[in-house]
Amino acid sequence: MQERRVKDASEAIRLVESSGLTHFKIGLSDIDGVMRGKYMRKDKFISALKSGFAFCDVVMGWDSNDAMYDNVQFTGWHTAYPDAQVRIDPTSCRRLPLEKGINGEDMLFFIAELDGKAAEICPRRVLHRVLAKAEEMGFDALAALEYEFFMFNETPKSVRAKGYRNLETWTPGNFGYSVLRSTVNGDFYTSLLALSEAMDMPIESLHTETGPGVLEAAIAVDTLANAADKGFLFKTFSKALAEQHGLMATFMAKWAAEYSGQSGHIHISLMDSSTGGSVFHDPSQPYAMSARQAQFVAGLQRYMPDVMAMYAQTINSYTRLVPGYWAPLDATWGVENRTTALRVIPGSSKSQRVEVRIGSADANPYLALAAALASGLAGIEQELSPDTMVSGNAYAQDFPAHQKLPGTLWEAAQHLRASEMARAYFGDAFVEHFASTREWEERQFRHHVTDWELARYFEII
C-alpha cells in the first residue's frame, strides 16, 4: 500500500499530485472522539500539507449533538468561535475504499489534529504529549484495542421514527462465538475484515458476543500512537460500512438494560526503547511480572478514579458499571481474572501485558489510551506498589474506599479536575476543558425525564 508508506509532507504531496482525485478527505477527533472533517480540493489540500489550514474551533466547543457548551473557556460565544490552526499528519494517509472520487479512484484519507494554542485540548495531541513523556523515560508503548458493538437492521431514519424503541437487532437471541451466524452473514463479516485490512487497522479476531446482534473486534497490536488512530478510524468507518449494508452499529456503552454493556478494552505494554526488550516480562518473578510492570499496574490502579471520566465519558457509560455484567466496579487487579478492572496477562517477552477492562466502547480512544499510559507511567515514576491481588470473583468481595470508582459522570469529572497527576500529564487547559464538558453532559441529562421515572412515579407518588 503505497499510501501507508508516506513518511513526510513531501512524499504525501507527491502522492496527491500523482493521484487522479480532485478532492481529498480529512478527519479529526472532537472531544468525544467523534470524527469531524471535510473534503478539500487538490490545490488547497497541498497547501494545507505544507503549512496547515484553518478550521472553526467550534469542533471543540460543542457536544456530540452539536449543542454549544456554555461553561468552557477555550471557545464559545464569548470568543465568537474563531478559526483554529490544524495540521495534517502525512503519515496517516490511507485509502478509503468505502467511497470513490469522481474519477472512480478510492478516496485518499488523512488524519488531522489541532495545532497552536488549540493543541492544548486536542485529544490526539494530549495522547502524544503522554507518549513524549514515555519516550523521555526510555519506553516505547504498545497497545491493542478491543471493541464490542451491537448491530441492527435499522437506519438513522428508522431508529428516530421508532423513538429508539422496539429496534430490530441484526440477529436474535444469544449465540456467542457463533460460526453459524458468521457464515450466514459472511458478506458483512468479510467486508469488514477487508475494509480493516485496506485501511491498515487489521482485525486480529472477530466474533459474535453473547447478546442479539453483538460483535467483538480485536484490532491487532501496534505502537500505542497507531493503536489510537486505528481505534478512531475503526469506530467511524465500521459504522459507515454497516450503513452501506443497510445496517446500523452502535458503540454506546449500554443500549438496553437487559443486555450486557459494550466494552472498549485496552491491552498495553512497555518496551525498552534502547534494547527493544519487554519492560514488563521477568521470568524469574511470579506470573513473569517484572517490578516495573507491578509499578505500572499500581499506577493504573491508584489513578483509575482520577481518570475515570476518560474511560467512561458519557452518562450512559455508568449504566454499564453494575454488578453481574462483566464490567468491573472497583479499581482492582488480578492475574487472568476477568472480574477485575485490571487483568495481568502473563506470557512471553512479546505477549506479557496488562488489560484495562474498565473502559467502555463509547470512550474516545485517544483519551482512554492517554489515561491508561499516564497512570501507568506515574506508577513507575512514583515507584508505587499495587494493592493485594484479587483471586476469585471480584464482584462478591468488598474493597477499601480508595478503590471505589466514581459512580456518575459528574463525580468522575470532579475527580479529574482535582487530580494533580492528570494536570501534570495532560495539562491544566485540557483538564479544565474536558471536566467542564463532562459537567455539561450531566446537566443536559438532568433536563430530561426518563421512562423509568414516569413508570415509577406518574401514578403512585
Side-chain angles (χ1 to χ4, degrees):
M1 295 183 289
Q2 179 189 8
E3 57 278 357
R4 292 302 294 133
R5 293 195 294 270
V6 169
K7 296 182 177 63
D8 53 35
S10 61
E11 290 187 6
I13 289 169
R14 286 196 293 272
L15 178 63
V16 167
E17 288 177 333
S18 65
S19 169
L21 294 168
T22 61
H23 292 76
F24 302 84
K25 198 166 195 175
I26 62 100
L28 58 83
S29 171
D30 72 4
I31 204 70
D32 285 293
V34 177
M35 187 179 291
R36 309 282 186 165
K38 60 183 176 181
Y39 296 99
M40 299 176 71
R41 195 168 181 268
K42 181 180 284 189
D43 55 348
K44 173 69 173 176
F45 189 76
I46 290 173
S47 173
L49 279 168
K50 293 177 179 177
S51 55
F53 67 99
F55 202 108
C56 180
D57 75 2
V58 74
V59 294
M60 291 296 162
W62 60 20
D63 64 16
S64 58
N65 202 36
D66 290 8
M68 310 318 193
Y69 298 125
D70 65 5
N71 62 337
V72 297
Q73 294 302 309
F74 168 73
T75 191
W77 295 115
H78 62 287
T79 66
Y81 297 106
D83 282 342
Q85 192 66 17
V86 177
R87 68 174 292 272
I88 297 170
D89 182 352
T91 68
S92 69
C93 175
R94 62 227 316 134
R95 292 288 174 178
L96 178 53
L98 297 182
E99 58 180 289
K100 309 288 185 183
I102 59 176
N103 66 337
E105 181 182 342
D106 282 352
M107 180 57 60
L108 273 173
F109 177 87
F110 292 76
I111 295 175
E113 60 187 17
L114 296 176
D115 207 0
K117 185 69 173 174
E120 293 181 350
I121 65 168
C122 173
R124 193 171 190 256
R125 298 298 287 273
V126 168
L127 173 62
H128 284 222
R129 288 198 293 274
V130 181
L131 284 166
K133 175 65 175 178
E135 292 172 8
E136 290 176 11
M137 295 173 66
F139 304 133
D140 294 325
L142 303 179
L145 293 167
E146 295 175 350
Y147 285 118
E148 295 169 350
F149 53 104
F150 274 84
M151 302 281 295
F152 299 86
N153 289 316
E154 301 287 353
T155 69
K157 290 184 177 179
S158 72
V159 294
R160 286 167 171 79
K162 293 180 176 182
Y164 299 93
R165 296 179 178 85
N166 302 315
L167 303 181
E168 181 185 346
T169 56
W170 186 31
T171 55
N174 297 328
F175 202 170
Y177 297 97
S178 171
V179 173
L180 174 62
R181 293 272 164 82
S182 61
T183 303
V184 171
N185 299 295
D187 57 338
F188 178 77
Y189 282 83
T190 54
S191 294
L192 181 58
L193 293 170
L195 173 68
S196 298
E197 292 291 329
M199 294 193 69
D200 188 28
M201 50 181 191
I203 294 175
E204 189 171 74
S205 66
L206 176 65
H207 60 86
T208 63
E209 263 288 357
T210 298
V214 62
L215 300 180
E216 179 175 314
I219 304 171
V221 65
D222 204 334
T223 66
L224 193 142
N226 286 340
D229 284 342
K230 291 177 182 185
F232 177 57
L233 293 166
F234 181 80
K235 289 179 68 175
T236 292
F237 293 115
S238 60
K239 288 191 285 189
L241 176 69
E243 290 192 32
Q244 289 187 353
H245 280 253
L247 304 167
M248 281 193 77
T250 182
F251 288 81
M252 69 182 296
K254 194 161 184 171
W255 78 274
E258 61 266 33
Y259 303 125
S260 295
Q262 301 183 97
S263 64
H265 293 164
I266 298 168
H267 292 254
I268 189 168
S269 62
L270 294 182
M271 311 301 286
D272 188 305
S273 56
S274 60
T275 67
S278 172
V279 172
F280 284 2
H281 185 253
D282 184 349
S284 70
Q285 296 300 310
Y287 316 113
M289 186 176 178
S290 72
R292 283 284 175 83
Q293 185 178 19
Q295 292 170 348
F296 193 91
V297 169
L300 285 167
Q301 182 180 42
R302 162 65 182 82
Y303 291 111
M304 193 175 293
D306 289 30
V307 298
M308 189 65 182
M310 298 167 73
Y311 291 135
Q313 68 182 33
T314 69
I315 295 292
N316 183 250
S317 302
Y318 296 83
T319 64
R320 169 178 166 263
L321 303 175
V322 294
Y325 279 93
W326 292 96
L329 307 175
D330 303 275
T332 53
W333 76 279
V335 175
E336 286 292 10
N337 190 331
R338 285 185 167 86
T339 68
T340 54
L342 303 169
R343 171 184 167 226
V344 171
I345 304 174
S348 67
S349 60
K350 291 185 178 179
S351 61
Q352 183 89 12
R353 63 194 187 276
V354 60
E355 180 186 17
V356 182
R357 296 179 55 79
I358 195 66
S360 51
D362 59 5
N364 183 331
Y366 294 114
L367 299 185
L369 283 166
L373 181 58
S375 298
L377 293 178
I380 292 175
E381 278 198 305
Q382 298 165 27
E383 298 182 343
L384 300 180
S385 297
D387 292 336
T388 303
M389 181 182 76
V390 174
S391 297
N393 182 5
Y395 300 130
Q397 302 177 41
D398 292 323
F399 299 100
H402 71 268
Q403 291 184 356
K404 297 298 180 185
L405 297 173
T408 67
L409 184 58
W410 185 275
E411 185 183 352
Q414 308 319 305
H415 276 265
L416 181 66
R417 197 186 293 280
S419 173
E420 293 181 6
M421 185 281 290
R423 291 181 181 274
Y425 276 85
F426 312 136
D428 290 334
F430 169 77
V431 169
E432 290 294 334
H433 184 80
F434 190 70
S436 294
T437 67
R438 298 313 93 189
E439 290 168 352
W440 161 273
E441 193 76 8
E442 181 91 13
R443 284 168 47 211
Q444 301 318 294
F445 179 67
R446 293 177 193 170
H447 293 166
H448 298 276
V449 177
T450 66
D451 290 348
W452 183 89
E453 291 169 281
L454 288 170
R456 192 171 186 87
Y457 302 129
F458 188 90
E459 176 190 3
I460 298 171
I461 294 297

